[in-house]
Amino acid sequence: MPALSFVGRQAQAMVMDVSGYDFASNIHLFSVEGDHILVDVNSGAIHLLDEPAREFVTALIENQGDAAQAGARCRQLFGTEAATEVEDELKQAYDDQTLFTPVELPILNLEEMPVKALCLNVAHLCNMRCTYCFARQGDFGTEKGLMSEAVGRQALDFLISGSQDITNLEVDFFGGEPLLNWDVVCSLVAYGRKQGRKAGKNLRFTLTTNALLLDEEKMDYLVEEGISVILSLDGRREVNDRCRLLNNGQGSYDVVLPRIQQMVARNPVSYYVRGTFSRGNLDFTQDLEHLIACGFTNLSLEPAVGPYEEFAIGEEVIPRVLEEYDRLTRALWAHYQAGQEINYFHFNLDLARGPCLARRLTGCGAGGEYLAITPGGDIYPCHQFIGEEEFLMGNVETGITDPQVKQRLTRNYLSSKAECRKCWARFYCGGGCHANAYFSNGCLEIPARTACAMHRKRVECAIYLEIEKIRSKAGHVEGGGLQ
Amino acid sequence: KHLQTIVGPVLKRRECQAACKTSCVGNQ
């Protein structure tokens, strides 16, 4: 197989050998709205290609790195001068270590990874009956109940003492509906702040709510305490009210929308209006537009997951979902061009300041740095494993009593999964959701096919939008990228 | 002329944050 070499140059020093290179795993070439985008997976570098360069790289991939064939095709279509220029520029990128870079998948020992974040299920009760709820209407299929202040304090002590030298710790009040246990939430915020200060820790709190019990007093408290809020609303009234039901079976839209608007108007430290899309609204761009029209700019629309086949996004609707992500991308770009930047959670991708390689390899950290606590103090790897007895790790009173669960989760990171090692999106994903894998395939080691398809598409859309923003800010100046 | 580098080799270098709850690193 000939190496990529250049006319008029001395061979030995100027050869870029990409024969045998695993293109499928280590570069990704895709086109969005006429932009040809090339991702060099191992370096994180991203390039924009014109037509001759796209043709050359495509031919290189199709011919397993045979540069002679790639060059011939490029010359045939675009002439000798363009083909030579493309070869020179590819070689320059290779020399700069931004193209065709070698695989780097360090082996990590994550079993000693300290805890840094808790999902605190302060209520296994809910005042709504959402049809697609993975928490099975609030109790996760376990005993209904509220967390006592004593158990909550033990959980925070467990977090602070277990976090070793990590300063930034996170606690999400979750459920069920956490506002059903409001007094305990307030007590735990005060206790966490006090104990955190003593230990030199910075505790950040988040609260996820259906907004049904949000009143002015609670809103003021959340703002004053700097608590981030996640507010559940699916979008259009008819979409929301199909799934998000009050206990009396009525839709919740008219009750919760004004409260969510009041909460957002108070300018909390951070907020997301978070919706779920399911088989019933595969045209979810319409829901995004509706939420924007309601005055919200921080938005998250997530695919339904869980045991309910009539709602969860299955393989047969994936092509439709991917098509909708294209539509969503165009909508977000149109808003940006009109001067309205919408912060869409799953298209957040800071290309220059993303996490380090070790962090990307670790993924979500479930079972290690991230744990979920039930109202009774039981410890699970994450909120989605609650109620699955084989994943019970211990209790905040006794600590971790089954270290094998932690081993099982922390050993199951990106580098250990065959499919993930070969995936071009691996460093934007981190190895996927353990729970999605487990509930889809019955094992942790094989990622969920539908989740992977959606995630790869979201990464493509996010990269495209970031590139367009960079070009827009640079006034389309050649070479105006982030270096 | 033909290849514009938008982002350089950012990967050649636990305090970061650990919305969704269903599709959990790229956006950190």
Side-chain angles (χ1 to χ4, degrees):
Chain A
M1 190 75 69
L4 186 57
S5 57
F6 299 90
V7 177
R9 294 185 173 183
Q10 292 189 335
Q12 190 61 39
M14 303 307 294
V15 167
M16 174 174 71
D17 187 355
V18 291
S19 58
Y21 188 71
D22 185 352
F23 292 99
S25 300
N26 296 306
I27 64 167
H28 182 56
L29 176 61
F30 64 103
S31 299
V32 182
E33 302 288 302
D35 281 357
H36 306 308
I37 299 166
L38 179 60
V39 178
D40 185 70
V41 174
N42 297 300
S43 70
I46 296 175
H47 311 279
L48 263 180
L49 307 185
D50 67 1
E51 289 292 347
R54 184 188 69 90
E55 195 62 48
F56 194 104
V57 173
T58 301
L60 206 56
I61 295 167
E62 289 174 358
N63 293 286
Q64 290 82 48
D66 187 333
Q69 290 199 51
R73 191 201 293 185
C74 196
R75 275 192 294 278
Q76 184 181 21
L77 292 170
F78 301 102
T80 300
E81 185 180 354
T84 304
E85 288 170 350
V86 168
E87 288 186 359
D88 282 350
E89 292 184 21
L90 290 176
K91 172 66 173 60
Q92 183 63 57
Y94 177 79
D95 285 348
D96 293 342
Q97 297 184 55
T98 63
L99 189 58
F100 308 136
T101 51
V103 176
E104 185 179 357
L105 279 175
I107 303 301
L108 301 176
N109 179 3
L110 301 173
E111 290 178 37
E112 301 305 316
M113 181 164 55
V115 62
K116 71 157 283 165
L118 290 184
C119 179
L120 216 51
N121 279 18
V122 291
H124 273 193
L125 292 172
C126 193
N127 46 5
M128 286 180 58
R129 291 286 172 271
C130 301
T131 51
Y132 50 46
C133 180
F134 71 75
R136 298 171 189 265
Q137 286 71 49
D139 63 14
F140 293 80
T142 65
E143 196 175 351
K144 293 183 187 302
L146 299 175
M147 181 178 283
S148 68
E149 184 179 343
V151 167
R153 284 181 174 224
Q154 285 178 320
L156 293 175
D157 292 341
F158 171 83
L159 171 66
I160 290 168
S161 64
S163 60
Q164 298 179 14
D165 58 353
I166 296 174
T167 301
N168 293 330
L169 309 181
E170 287 124 32
V171 176
D172 183 28
F173 295 109
F174 197 60
E177 173 49 49
L179 297 189
L180 288 168
N181 202 5
W182 178 247
D183 289 346
V184 166
V185 168
C186 297
S187 298
L188 293 179
V189 170
Y191 181 76
R193 295 245 192 266
K194 181 179 160 194
Q195 298 305 104
R197 269 194 302 274
K198 278 187 196 171
K201 306 290 186 183
N202 171 31
L203 261 73
R204 295 185 282 205
F205 292 99
T206 305
L207 184 138
T208 302
T209 178
N210 60 30
L212 210 55
L213 293 176
L214 260 187
D215 55 29
E216 296 204 354
E217 186 183 350
K218 292 186 180 73
M219 293 180 202
D220 288 341
Y221 175 86
L222 292 166
V223 173
E224 286 163 12
E225 286 292 336
I227 297 173
S228 301
V229 287
I230 313 299
L231 304 149
S232 298
L233 182 70
D234 283 353
R236 293 163 289 179
R237 177 188 280 108
E238 64 273 23
V239 168
N240 184 84
D241 287 354
R242 194 181 302 145
C243 295
R244 300 192 62 78
L245 306 177
L246 303 170
N247 276 337
N248 63 9
Q250 301 289 303
S252 58
Y253 179 93
D254 289 327
V255 180
V256 300
L257 176 61
R259 292 171 196 188
I260 293 174
Q261 287 174 316
Q262 286 172 41
M263 181 74 241
V264 170
R266 279 173 159 74
N267 201 20
V269 64
S270 162
Y271 82 88
Y272 274 97
V273 174
R274 189 260 192 240
T276 296
F277 70 83
S278 65
R279 288 168 184 261
N281 64 317
L282 296 176
D283 59 347
F284 50 87
T285 302
Q286 297 298 314
D287 295 296
L288 178 99
E289 294 287 14
H290 181 80
L291 293 171
I292 293 169
C294 289
F296 308 128
T297 54
N298 295 334
L299 300 169
S300 180
L301 288 173
E302 311 290 335
V305 300
Y308 308 111
E309 285 189 5
E310 65 269 40
F311 301 109
I313 301 299
E315 207 157 347
E316 65 282 7
V317 297
I318 285 294
R320 176 69 184 85
V321 171
L322 303 190
E323 185 184 299
E324 193 63 21
Y325 275 128
D326 281 332
R327 197 166 286 124
L328 189 76
T329 302
R330 287 193 287 271
L332 289 169
W333 180 236
H335 281 284
Y336 184 87
Q337 288 182 301
Q340 183 181 30
E341 185 156 18
I342 303 300
N343 177 20
Y344 180 69
F345 177 71
H346 267 308
F347 286 0
N348 282 351
L349 196 61
D350 191 323
L351 295 177
R353 298 189 311 134
C356 61
L357 183 59
R359 188 72 185 77
R360 291 172 192 252
L361 289 170
T362 312
C364 67
E369 69 176 16
Y370 174 66
L371 300 170
I373 314 294
T374 69
D378 285 343
I379 304 169
Y380 286 92
C382 86
H383 52 284
Q384 290 208 48
F385 282 115
I386 287 176
E388 299 292 327
E389 286 307 304
E390 68 176 290
F391 290 98
L392 176 61
M393 300 173 73
N395 188 283
V396 291
E397 191 168 13
T398 56
I400 301 292
T401 51
D402 187 349
Q404 289 195 327
V405 177
K406 181 175 182 177
Q407 270 183 11
R408 196 175 162 192
L409 272 290
T410 54
R411 287 179 180 177
N412 187 51
Y413 71 105
L414 194 157
S415 303
S416 68
K417 289 189 270 199
E419 289 190 36
C420 297
R421 286 199 303 269
K422 292 283 187 185
C423 176
W424 70 265
R426 56 186 176 268
F427 296 132
Y428 299 102
C429 162
C433 171
H434 298 294
N436 279 352
Y438 180 76
F439 293 119
S440 296
N441 303 317
C443 70
L444 297 172
E445 293 76 18
I446 302 172
R449 188 185 301 267
T450 52
C452 292
M454 287 189 279
H455 197 77
R456 282 192 284 261
K457 183 65 177 180
R458 287 193 295 250
V459 172
E460 286 185 349
C461 295
I463 289 174
Y464 164 74
L465 283 171
E466 285 305 299
I467 287 175
E468 289 306 303
K469 289 175 191 174
I470 289 167
R471 295 169 86 195
S472 171
K473 286 170 184 164
H476 296 267
V477 174
E478 185 77 10
L482 294 172
Q483 300 299 323
Chain B
K1 187 174 173 183
H2 303 281
L3 180 148
Q4 182 185 357
T5 300
I6 300 292
V7 182
V10 292
L11 287 178
K12 300 292 182 190
R13 293 201 188 115
R14 303 278 150 189
E15 296 294 359
C16 59
Q17 189 177 48
C20 60
K21 293 289 187 189
T22 55
S23 311
C24 307
V25 294
N27 49 17
Q28 291 175 289

